[in-house]
Amino acid sequence: MLSSESEPQIKALVVCLGNICRSPMGEAVLKDIATKRGVQVHVDSCGTAGYHVGEEPDERYNNVSIDSLARQISTSDFVRFTHILAADENNLRHLESMKPHNATAEVRLWGSYHDNKAIPDPYYGGMNGFEKVFQQCIRLSHAFLDEVVGKAEAKEV
Ligand code: 4NP
């Protein structure tokens, strides 16, 4: 079956624990950078845990507007997305343990596209942790797009 031309080839899901701190920021930053680079990417985020389902992003992100309500990962995400980007190793282990047999998404630590570092959880810390998450998401978004956009273009040739 031919896919619609308007459907992005790259569909990325950013995953943390609660989907209120790291992954909504990752979603917002990756969307913004993809738009600025002129790359069509579908981006969403979710949490491995369900503690905060339905909640808005943490209010300590007081200088950025993020359009996201927390949701928990589901097994269908492993076929709906092409790339699942885990914020840290615990999230990655959780994702690997629930990955269904028919999974088509590539599941990786987001940092594996750059420096192999996790995104530290800012929830129990101060404001500077949130600023660091923002800066790290910028670097990781560029690194992710550098790798996957090149590959997607090579497949088209
Ligand atoms: P996130 O941060 O995984 O980046 O959304 C957290 C949010 C909530 C909790 C832990 C981390 N919590 O323990 O409720």
Side-chain angles (χ1 to χ4, degrees), residues 16-24 51-52 87 91 120-124:
C16 64
L17 179 65
N19 194 207
I20 55 167
C21 299
R22 292 165 291 177
S23 60
Y51 322 129
H52 297 278
N91 303 142
D121 181 355
Y123 188 67
Y124 294 105

Side-chain angles (χ1 to χ4, degrees), residues 21-108:
C21 299
R22 292 165 291 177
S23 60
M25 174 57 89
E27 176 189 345
V29 171
L30 181 54
K31 272 183 189 163
D32 184 54
I33 290 178
T35 303
K36 286 177 178 154
R37 288 173 62 149
V39 183
Q40 234 204 336
V41 183
H42 172 72
V43 189
D44 191 13
S45 67
C46 69
T48 52
Y51 322 129
H52 297 278
V53 168
E55 290 181 21
E56 293 186 348
D58 194 291
E59 62 191 15
R60 285 169 285 183
Y61 284 132
N62 53 11
N63 55 351
V64 224
S65 138
I66 303 176
D67 182 20
S68 162
L69 290 180
R71 74 168 179 93
Q72 191 171 14
I73 183 90
S74 92
T75 50
S76 63
D77 288 318
F78 290 84
V79 291
R80 288 174 50 219
F81 290 88
T82 54
H83 297 81
I84 298 184
L85 307 171
D88 66 28
E89 288 85 355
N90 282 336
N91 303 142
L92 183 62
R93 271 192 292 276
H94 189 123
L95 290 165
E96 290 292 355
S97 74
M98 67 174 290
K99 190 173 166 182
H101 290 298
N102 64 340
T104 46
E106 190 172 7
V107 183
R108 281 171 59 173

Side-chain angles (χ1 to χ4, degrees), residues 111-123:
S112 71
Y113 292 87
H114 182 53
D115 54 6
N116 270 324
K117 289 189 180 151
I119 306 176
D121 181 355
Y123 188 67

